Amino acid sequence: PLFGVKPLHWHIFTLVLRWLTSLGMGWTLIQIWPQRKQEVIWITFLFALYPAFIQQPIAVAYSQHFITYAFFFLSISTMLAALRSKRWFWLFLILSLLAEGIHLFTMEYFWGLELIRPLLIFLLPSISQESLRKRLSYTLRNWLPFFALLLLAVAWRVFFVQIPEDP
């Protein structure tokens, strides 16, 4: 209903989503490696331009994938921003949880990527000098709301979503 049956509109929409996903990935990486801006820019361009995804001509079918992927990166990057900013912590945390919810409840394909979240928290430069015990505690405490939302999505999918049966 958004673009009707006009292929050009769908292709432009999906290409914009692909670039937004790339920017989200770039924002995520720059927060993990702030001293490696040049490398992050190259990684982001490679991610955006690499032709491994050859289904781009089927824009209608794959737009949902890029929407989900973009919200995944938005969730990761806003979570990292929340953990790096005391002033904007709650705003970024709420945005991150909302983006994760959209990502999780749109499509299950990228649920496995959620397991990278605690690793990213653990590797944050701001806590890298702490003891292992403090880092693990920090990681668990900050990952818990996201893990709870993941469990809620799994429960929703397993117990409440009706899958049509073949006739």
Side-chain angles (χ1 to χ4, degrees):
L2 188 60
F3 297 117
V5 293
K6 304 223 184 240
L8 179 63
H9 296 165
W10 280 103
H11 286 288
I12 292 170
F13 176 67
T14 306
L15 287 170
V16 168
L17 285 173
R18 188 171 180 165
W19 278 98
L20 287 174
T21 301
S22 300
L23 290 175
M25 188 202 67
W27 186 26
T28 299
L29 292 177
I30 206 72
Q31 291 182 75
I32 298 167
W33 298 303
Q35 71 283 4
R36 302 280 190 183
K37 288 184 170 82
Q38 183 88 16
E39 289 88 345
V40 168
I41 290 170
W42 283 107
I43 291 168
T44 303
F45 277 123
L46 181 62
F47 181 81
L49 298 174
Y50 187 67
F53 179 69
I54 57 173
Q55 300 297 322
Q56 189 69 41
I58 312 171
V60 175
Y62 286 98
S63 61
Q64 184 177 354
H65 294 74
F66 284 110
I67 290 170
T68 305
Y69 212 16
F71 275 107
F72 166 74
F73 278 123
L74 178 63
S75 176
I76 293 288
S77 57
T78 51
M79 176 201 70
L80 293 171
L83 296 175
R84 297 180 84 205
S85 168
K86 291 183 194 290
R87 181 177 181 192
W88 301 103
F89 175 81
W90 289 106
L91 175 65
F92 281 131
L93 180 66
I94 290 167
L95 284 173
S96 183
L97 288 166
L98 285 172
E100 183 193 27
I102 293 169
H103 143 64
L104 292 174
F105 287 95
T106 301
M107 171 185 284
E108 306 88 18
Y109 287 7
F110 302 110
W111 283 6
L113 289 174
E114 281 298 319
L115 299 177
I116 201 171
R117 192 180 296 269
L119 179 65
L120 294 176
I121 297 170
F122 184 80
L123 294 175
L124 271 177
S126 59
I127 64 161
S128 63
Q129 303 303 318
E130 301 290 330
S131 70
L132 179 61
R133 185 178 192 159
K134 283 186 179 182
R135 288 172 73 185
L136 288 172
S137 171
Y138 180 86
T139 300
L140 185 60
R141 186 174 64 250
N142 286 291
W143 181 49
L144 205 54
F146 298 97
F147 184 62
L149 193 53
L150 176 61
L151 289 179
L152 179 66
V154 170
W156 174 261
R157 181 71 173 97
V158 170
F159 298 112
F160 298 108
V161 173
Q162 298 287 327
I163 300 173
E165 296 182 24
D166 289 333

